[in-house]
Amino acid sequence: MSTRDHRRGRGTAPPETASISALSRRSGVPVATIKYYIREGLIRSDQDPGAEGAQAVVDQVQLIRGLVHVVGLSIRQVRQILALVRDPSLSPAALMTGATVTLPLTGPRAADVDEAELEGARAALAAVGFDDLPDAPYATQLLAAIALADECGIGLDAELLAAYAGAARACAAADFAHLPLDSPSRQTQAAVLGTVIYEPVLLGLRRLAHRELAGRLPSSSPREEAREEDQKETQKEEGARHAQSE
């Protein structure tokens, strides 16, 4: 064994490699993936998962994996999210609202629309208390969706939009109430990943509720039921007249 090998210890990995291996074991993220994050500048190669603040390092690696491989963000978008995450002045609430601007939209994108076509949608949202809309893609998509519903003849009337707004506010309150307060890094994960991952949960629950309610509704509408009753009465009257004529 050479003097260099003796000093380093046979079979002992370099400190950087050992640190990455330890981070991989603790986070469940493959070594190759972590090295990719390092090459892209998302994390530093000298971050030690065994040092103070170890869980924060692990949480950040898992956050990056979720953003890249689950949410599908680009490296540029991940850098924007990490800039928010690493800003100590931001609260979890500010992280949530800041992340919504960077996170991708779910569902169809809003096509180019004339601002004048969105005035009705703006007025409808203002009527339910959302009169200060941000200059963000999701707000534009929301306005375009409301305008499209009107154009297709299935517009959201004031009662329905108010019900939707109330449900959305209740969901937002529940999101903030369930942020893990014991760990700032886990708050970050919940605020950022939860913002996008919970949206399919909301959609799925809405469809389940539709299915549940449909099972309790009558098979025909009240108008159809009234028409059927009229037909039955007519048939009875015709039957009675026929019996009298005989």
Side-chain angles (χ1 to χ4, degrees):
M1 180 171 64
S2 69
T3 303
R4 180 179 298 176
D5 286 340
H6 178 72
R7 287 174 184 161
R8 288 175 53 181
R10 183 182 296 275
T12 301
E16 178 180 320
T17 303
S19 177
I20 293 173
S21 297
L23 186 55
S24 175
R25 286 194 301 273
R26 291 201 56 182
S27 67
V29 178
V31 168
T33 303
I34 294 175
K35 288 182 176 180
Y36 168 66
Y37 297 161
I38 291 171
R39 287 195 304 272
E40 293 295 334
L42 302 178
I43 57 174
R44 301 193 316 272
S45 61
D46 60 349
Q47 288 183 298
D48 184 358
E52 186 178 354
Q55 188 57 50
V57 178
V58 173
D59 288 345
Q60 196 162 112
V61 170
Q62 292 175 332
L63 172 63
I64 294 170
R65 178 178 61 175
L67 293 173
V68 174
H69 302 290
V70 177
V71 180
L73 296 190
S74 67
I75 295 300
R76 180 187 61 81
Q77 290 172 315
V78 172
R79 288 196 184 101
Q80 291 176 317
I81 292 291
L82 292 178
L84 295 172
V85 169
R86 291 164 180 167
D87 186 342
S89 68
L90 293 181
S91 67
L95 274 173
M96 256 188 188
T97 54
T100 56
V101 178
T102 301
L103 292 171
L105 299 173
T106 58
R109 272 54 172 174
D112 292 335
V113 290
D114 190 332
E115 182 62 27
E117 297 176 4
L118 302 180
E119 287 306 313
R122 287 187 184 278
L125 287 174
V128 294
F130 292 117
D131 52 1
D132 184 20
L133 298 181
D135 182 15
Y138 70 86
T140 303
Q141 184 188 43
L142 171 60
L143 289 167
I146 294 174
L148 178 62
D150 285 336
E151 183 181 332
C152 293
I154 55 168
L156 289 81
D157 61 26
E159 182 181 2
L160 180 57
L161 189 58
Y164 278 14
R169 289 187 172 103
C171 288
D175 286 340
F176 285 124
H178 286 79
L179 286 175
L181 300 179
D182 58 333
S183 168
S185 58
R186 291 192 183 280
Q187 280 185 356
T188 298
Q189 270 194 305
V192 176
L193 285 179
T195 300
V196 67
I197 292 176
Y198 288 175
E199 288 186 355
V201 174
L202 287 173
L203 177 61
L205 286 172
R206 178 174 178 259
R207 292 180 178 180
L208 281 176
H210 283 170
R211 181 176 183 273
E212 180 182 68
L213 183 59
R216 299 200 300 264
L217 293 176
S219 57
S220 56
S221 68
R223 182 176 296 178
E224 290 174 337
E225 290 180 351
R227 187 183 301 116
E228 289 174 0
E229 288 296 323
D230 289 343
Q231 289 175 347
K232 288 178 181 178
E233 288 297 325
T234 300
Q235 290 172 354
K236 286 180 180 179
E237 292 174 359
E238 291 177 350
R241 285 197 299 270
H242 181 70
Q244 290 175 355
S245 64
E246 293 180 346

